[in-house]
Amino acid sequence: MPKTTSYDALIIGSGQAGNPLATALADAGRRVVLVESFQLGGSCINYGCVPTKTLLASAERTHAVRTAAEYGVRTHAPTVDMAAVIERKDALLRKLRAGIRSNLTVERPGITLLQGHARFTGPRSVQVALASGETTALTAPLIFINTGTRPAMPQLDGLNETPYLTTDQLLDLKELPAHLLIIGGGYIGLEFGQMYRRFGSQVTIVESGGQVLDREDADVSKALQAALANEGIEFVLNARTRRVSRNQAGELTLTVDTRTGERRLRGTHLLLATGRTPNTDDLGLDAAGIKTDEHGYIQVNERLKTGVRGVYALGDVHGGPQFTHISYDDYRVVRDALLRNKRRSAKDRPLPYAVFTEPQLGRIGLSETQAQEQNIPYRVAKLPVSTIGRAQQTGLAAGFWKILVGEDDRLLGAAILGPEGGDVMAVLQVSMVGRLKYQQLQEMVWAHPTWAEALNNVFARLK
């Protein structure tokens, strides 16, 4: 039997909630052990926000060079060195991981960092299969599960016999696909689709629903799809993918059923962007009595407690919106409860997010569809980006701003589809937190010429 070591707190997973919680508990004098089975940093740093946005920056530079003539700049057509693009991303990830390791170990001696896979053996005990091949047993009165998610695999005939890419794997591909087929029209599929189209790939996105970004208002989804289609991306909607195959020449074929009949889509590479599944199936949760839902997500209350005393679940592993900033707020919920004697709730909190396509989409609060479903009275102000002075100067004129106002003249929500949509959305989020009335934004002195200056104009279009 391996020797058992006791700690004040055990954190399973080095994600965007687990890491800051480890440092906060250590700074408070707690003895903390953090177990990570893969790379330090969790999904955001290793296969989420950081690598994807780093690659998007390279794609944006490529597009800027390709379209430079439209701005009076003569240059040669860009040549993309995918190996160099990937190495730029990898160099940043190595730097960030090293910084995390230093923060967790060198800077805080109260944290023990273990590389290995943790599995529950009881309500507050785990056994860790270390990367070295040895096994150790750990106990703690407080255990925090922050194990994140992995790409979900669709049920698709021929998939096991056909090479495919997950979003994690595509981040390391050092060759440029001639024709990238993408299953999934969510924000991940759209970001990767535009990225590789700008690198020079032909791109086809297959979506089972009637619109991309199925949680957005139809006008927002259609406008973004139109902008991406103008760059040459093909969309196949209302399409049920039935089979994938590969011929002797290496060409892939997707067989899909559409409303107009069967279609066969051919390409060189296949990306599965069909969502993610929680990393809970190999944690031994039954041994601890920890409950999950039908999809494997750990069930928690508003304070992120499981049904087992002293055990919490943080980040993507408990379901709900899977964003880095939500995971970080999970850390604050637990930190305040344990170290500051403050009660915070993980339910009904603001959900800002951005889709990093061009045009960018920033979203906060209620959509128009949600306001209608909840019978909440509203007025809507909608402003085409093309009317904004900054858009005319930069040539970035696709999209529109859409802001919902309640009966009390305060903001209910917004969808900002356009350049710097996420940052403009943040201005509106602050206004919502401060309960400003729209007239205060409309009459505010904004610097000229900025994107935010359009807040002087958008509310004149209230209906």
Side-chain angles (χ1 to χ4, degrees):
M1 292 290 292
K3 178 183 177 181
T4 300
T5 306
S6 297
Y7 291 88
D8 297 321
L10 163 62
I11 300 173
I12 306 173
S14 167
Q16 295 302 305
N19 288 343
L21 182 60
T23 59
L25 290 172
D27 288 345
R30 311 282 182 97
R31 293 179 63 249
V32 180
V33 59
L34 190 153
V35 182
E36 172 55 52
S37 63
F38 183 53
Q39 299 275 19
L40 294 178
S43 62
C44 178
I45 286 179
N46 293 293
Y47 45 82
C49 315
V50 174
T52 57
K53 278 50 179 181
T54 303
L55 295 187
L56 278 170
S58 294
E60 289 168 359
R61 292 294 180 92
T62 305
H63 183 68
V65 173
R66 186 178 291 119
T67 59
E70 299 175 12
Y71 295 79
V73 179
R74 306 300 174 189
T75 186
H76 298 291
T79 300
V80 177
D81 182 346
M82 283 305 300
V85 169
I86 298 300
E87 174 52 31
R88 175 178 178 269
K89 177 263 299 182
D90 288 344
L92 176 59
L93 299 195
R94 288 192 295 268
K95 177 181 177 181
L96 294 176
R97 289 172 189 148
I100 293 171
R101 182 173 295 277
S102 176
N103 185 51
L104 292 174
T105 56
V106 177
E107 300 174 30
R108 287 178 173 82
I111 299 175
T112 298
L113 180 61
L114 298 179
Q115 192 77 36
H117 179 75
R119 186 177 179 86
F120 281 90
T121 56
R124 278 169 293 282
S125 61
V126 305
Q127 184 168 294
V128 181
L130 298 171
S132 63
E134 299 177 346
T135 300
T136 187
L138 308 172
T139 63
L142 293 172
I143 298 181
F144 307 92
I145 305 170
N146 185 216
T147 51
T149 62
R150 63 184 184 273
M153 297 294 101
Q155 297 296 319
L156 182 59
D157 288 345
L159 188 62
N160 292 336
E161 298 79 41
T162 307
Y164 61 86
L165 297 164
T166 66
T167 51
D168 298 2
Q169 294 165 334
L170 186 56
L171 291 168
D172 295 324
L173 188 66
K174 296 182 180 180
E175 64 185 46
L176 185 63
H179 188 165
L180 181 61
L181 303 170
I182 301 176
I183 301 179
Y187 74 90
I188 294 176
L190 298 188
E191 288 183 0
F192 274 106
Q194 186 177 47
M195 178 197 303
Y196 275 87
R197 179 59 187 153
R198 289 183 166 188
F199 282 144
S201 300
Q202 187 176 346
V203 175
T204 300
I205 296 178
V206 181
E207 166 58 40
S208 60
Q211 66 176 52
V212 298
L213 299 179
D214 60 356
R215 295 184 180 182
E216 303 299 333
D217 289 336
D219 55 353
V220 174
S221 297
K222 289 179 181 178
L224 180 52
Q225 179 183 332
L228 299 181
N230 284 339
E231 293 193 20
I233 297 176
E234 178 187 15
F235 289 88
V236 183
L237 304 181
N238 293 305
R240 184 178 69 87
T241 306
R242 200 157 36 86
R243 179 175 175 78
V244 59
S245 61
R246 185 189 190 194
N247 63 22
Q248 292 183 346
E251 183 182 57
L252 302 177
T253 300
L254 281 184
T255 302
V256 301
D257 293 329
T258 72
R259 291 180 177 178
T260 57
E262 180 184 279
R263 286 191 61 182
R264 295 188 177 183
L265 309 171
R266 292 178 172 82
T268 59
H269 294 72
L270 173 63
L271 171 64
L272 304 178
T274 51
R276 302 186 70 85
T277 191
N279 293 320
T280 57
D281 49 333
D282 196 24
L283 290 177
L285 298 181
D286 289 344
I290 299 169
K291 304 297 183 183
T292 62
D293 66 14
E294 64 273 20
H295 302 293
Y297 290 101
I298 296 175
Q299 296 179 331
V300 295
N301 64 14
E302 66 175 16
R303 287 178 287 174
L304 303 173
K305 293 182 176 182
T306 70
V308 177
R309 183 179 178 84
V311 181
Y312 297 71
L314 297 83
D316 298 349
V317 77
H318 65 66
Q322 296 183 6
F323 297 110
T324 295
H325 45 282
I326 297 299
S327 295
Y328 186 75
D329 194 58
D330 281 359
Y331 144 68
R332 291 185 294 208
V333 169
V334 174
R335 175 205 63 191
D336 284 3
L338 296 178
L339 302 178
R340 300 184 178 181
N341 197 28
K342 294 181 180 179
R343 186 183 180 96
R344 288 169 53 107
S345 173
K347 306 295 184 183
D348 301 321
R349 52 189 165 185
L351 178 58
Y353 60 90
V355 180
F356 289 87
T357 49
E358 188 179 301
Q360 194 178 112
L361 173 62
R363 277 274 286 109
I364 182 65
L366 292 176
S367 68
E368 188 170 9
T369 302
Q370 291 170 330
Q372 293 170 352
E373 291 173 347
Q374 298 176 34
N375 294 316
I376 296 175
Y378 70 92
R379 289 176 290 164
V380 62
K382 194 171 178 179
L383 178 74
V385 168
S386 60
T387 65
I388 301 174
R390 188 69 177 154
Q392 296 162 9
Q393 297 147 17
T394 61
L396 304 175
F400 60 87
W401 293 12
K402 183 179 184 180
I403 305 176
L404 271 62
V405 175
E407 290 183 314
D408 60 358
D409 289 344
R410 294 182 171 89
L411 309 185
L412 296 172
I416 306 299
L417 181 63
E420 310 302 336
D423 291 296
V424 175
M425 174 272 292
V427 174
L428 298 173
Q429 180 183 358
V430 171
S431 301
M432 293 169 68
V433 171
R435 295 187 53 77
L436 300 185
K437 294 189 175 183
Y438 81 84
Q439 293 93 339
Q440 293 171 273
L441 299 177
Q442 187 176 23
E443 300 300 326
M444 194 171 292
V445 178
W446 302 99
H448 172 79
T450 62
W451 292 107
E453 184 184 26
L455 291 171
N456 286 152
N457 309 111
V458 61
F459 296 107
R461 296 171 177 257
L462 271 177
K463 295 182 179 179

